Amino acid sequence: MTLSKQIKSTLLFTLAALFALPLFAQTKVTTDDIQEMVSYNLIPTFQTTNVKGNPYIADNFLMGSFELYSGATTENLEMNYNIYENRIEIVDGNQVYAVSADDVKQFVVEMNGEETVYKKGFESRRLDANQFVEVKADGAMSFLIKHEVNYSENSSAGYGSASKEEVYSKNKRYYLKKGGEVHELRRLRHRRVVKHFNDNKQVNNYIKENNLDLSNPDHIEKAVTKYNEITS
């Protein structure tokens, strides 16, 4: 199910409440449990004439699962994370359930053949502990990416017609966590990143030998992964 179909869907299910005792006592959350977590109030959505971008972490729904603060986890689901609305949206047949992310500790989705983990609990400049971040590398040092979405709406009217345009624009913020402290990388530059490795010769040699460009998030992930291998 594509996002364009989901955005234009005329039905959207929103979270009413979690039924704590029966659900939290379990270690697995089934699709039947999820249906109990969701109210059956139907909310019609506005049929826009034009939508640019989307508020999701991925352009299509992905296979994944999420874990509640109780420790209970879901079975494998077709899902996506709506960054702007802070909710996890789940496809079940021809229905879409929207579950508030407030009670979700972390979630995992399969992207490009690999599992991508999103967690809460990190605090820094422009980062709150209740916000999800993508964990690109984890260990003695963690490389984190905060995904942000801004929304704007433009309306125009001409003779005999009217149109509305919705625009979702995305932004990323990058952080390194080390020794319990989370630091924002305001600019991805070599000197700003490499200083966090404390002049580790093995890491510095690895960066040089592999021609890593530390303005590239993928290359930062490789350098942090190497640092964790060396310091573990």
Side-chain angles (χ1 to χ4, degrees):
M1 180 177 183
T2 63
L3 286 181
S4 59
K5 290 181 180 178
Q6 194 280 330
I7 291 173
K8 294 179 181 179
S9 174
T10 58
L11 301 181
L12 187 62
F13 293 84
T14 57
L15 180 70
L18 290 171
F19 296 95
L21 292 178
L23 179 61
F24 284 22
Q26 300 174 197
T27 57
K28 278 290 183 181
V29 181
T30 67
T31 53
D32 289 338
D33 294 323
I34 292 171
Q35 290 178 13
E36 291 184 5
M37 294 164 62
V38 179
S39 73
Y40 287 85
N41 296 326
L42 306 184
I43 302 175
T45 58
F46 184 86
Q47 183 74 28
T48 59
T49 57
N50 189 22
V51 177
K52 290 185 178 180
N54 66 66
Y56 299 88
I57 57 166
D59 291 337
N60 294 290
F61 280 81
L62 308 166
M63 297 308 297
S65 62
F66 60 86
E67 179 185 346
L68 302 177
Y69 281 105
S70 67
T73 59
T74 68
E75 53 194 25
N76 217 23
L77 304 164
E78 190 176 357
M79 56 180 279
N80 209 337
Y81 175 57
N82 187 320
I83 304 166
Y84 185 75
E85 299 291 349
N86 190 34
R87 67 191 182 204
I88 293 175
E89 299 184 11
I90 302 158
V91 177
D92 184 16
N94 59 358
Q95 296 178 333
V96 177
Y97 300 104
V99 177
S100 170
D102 289 342
D103 295 288
V104 178
K105 180 179 179 181
Q106 66 179 42
F107 67 91
V108 180
V109 290
E110 296 178 14
M111 302 180 73
N112 302 318
E114 297 182 357
E115 285 192 346
T116 304
V117 180
Y118 291 79
K119 292 182 179 181
K120 295 179 183 176
F122 304 96
E123 288 188 275
S124 184
R125 185 174 181 270
R126 303 184 195 179
L127 175 61
D128 185 89
N130 292 320
Q131 295 174 315
F132 283 115
V133 293
E134 179 182 357
V135 182
K136 295 295 291 182
D138 202 11
M141 182 183 294
S142 299
F143 179 40
L144 313 170
I145 303 177
K146 178 189 175 186
H147 297 261
E148 299 176 332
V149 169
N150 294 313
Y151 171 80
S152 61
E153 182 178 286
N154 300 314
S155 298
S156 62
Y159 179 75
S161 65
S163 63
K164 178 181 177 182
E165 180 180 76
E166 294 183 346
V167 180
Y168 294 96
S169 56
K170 295 181 179 179
N171 181 51
K172 296 178 182 179
R173 298 188 187 277
Y174 302 92
Y175 298 86
L176 288 176
K177 177 182 178 293
K178 182 183 176 185
E181 295 186 2
V182 182
H183 303 276
E184 182 183 10
L185 299 173
R186 297 181 65 181
R187 291 181 179 85
L188 298 187
R189 293 180 179 174
H190 181 92
R191 65 180 180 83
R192 289 177 179 268
V193 177
V194 77
K195 69 178 183 179
H196 292 279
F197 298 126
N198 296 331
D199 295 322
N200 187 298
K201 291 184 179 180
Q202 288 179 273
V203 176
N204 288 336
N205 289 337
Y206 175 81
I207 292 170
K208 292 176 182 178
E209 291 169 1
N210 291 274
N211 297 315
L212 297 187
D213 176 8
L214 297 185
S215 66
N216 183 328
D218 292 336
H219 290 194
I220 295 175
E221 179 186 355
K222 291 178 180 179
V224 172
T225 299
K226 185 64 176 181
Y227 176 86
N228 289 335
E229 291 175 358
I230 294 169
T231 58
S232 60

